[in-house]
Amino acid sequence: MLDLEYLQRMLIIAIALSTITCAFIQKTKKLFKTSKYLSLYSFIVNLSIGIIFCITFTDIKFPSSLWVGLFSFLGADTIYKSLEGKITPHRELVTKKKITISPENIINKEEK
């Protein structure tokens, strides 16, 4: 019988882990001149950090931690694709000098 509670715990851990590994891979992907090996690098990082994370912070043992690493690899790619282009870098927010107000948000005194 499928242990749905255990699977749910592994998926929750994988979601948290995928955000950590996605940030780590984004910071370290500059090491590669081409993106040819980036997927393999991401897979290895997710499995490695998944195993270490599970053994250190949870009661999940080695074989199941491989599944967490795999779920994390699949989830990190999905999170990255869903957020790609939607997040404004901090330096753009700080250096932005132009404020845009949409016409429907302008309040005219004559209309009152």
Side-chain angles (χ1 to χ4, degrees):
M1 188 66 162
L2 185 62
D3 189 358
L4 291 176
E5 186 176 318
Y6 189 64
L7 180 62
Q8 181 182 14
R9 284 182 33 215
M10 289 194 323
L11 288 171
I12 289 170
I13 293 167
I15 290 169
L17 187 63
S18 66
T19 57
I20 294 167
T21 56
C22 187
F24 178 79
I25 290 167
Q26 289 303 312
K27 297 285 183 187
T28 59
K29 75 177 184 180
K30 296 172 187 170
L31 300 171
F32 298 97
K33 293 180 182 174
T34 64
S35 61
K36 185 177 180 180
Y37 299 109
L38 195 57
S39 293
L40 179 63
Y41 172 68
S42 175
F43 182 71
I44 292 169
V45 166
N46 277 287
L47 281 182
S48 303
I49 294 178
I51 291 168
I52 294 168
F53 188 86
C54 286
I55 291 173
T56 305
F57 298 111
T58 68
D59 59 350
I60 295 175
K61 301 299 177 208
F62 177 74
S64 297
S65 66
L66 290 173
W67 283 106
V68 171
L70 177 67
F71 295 152
S72 173
F73 171 69
L74 297 173
D77 186 45
T78 305
I79 290 171
Y80 178 74
K81 286 182 181 176
S82 66
L83 294 177
E84 187 176 29
K86 295 180 183 173
I87 298 176
T88 307
H90 181 261
R91 67 181 156 289
E92 283 184 24
L93 293 173
V94 172
T95 59
K96 188 174 182 179
K97 296 183 182 187
K98 184 177 179 183
I99 298 174
T100 306
I101 301 173
S102 62
E104 58 267 0
N105 290 332
I106 297 174
I107 300 172
N108 292 326
K109 290 183 181 179
E110 296 94 31
E111 292 179 7
K112 291 185 176 180

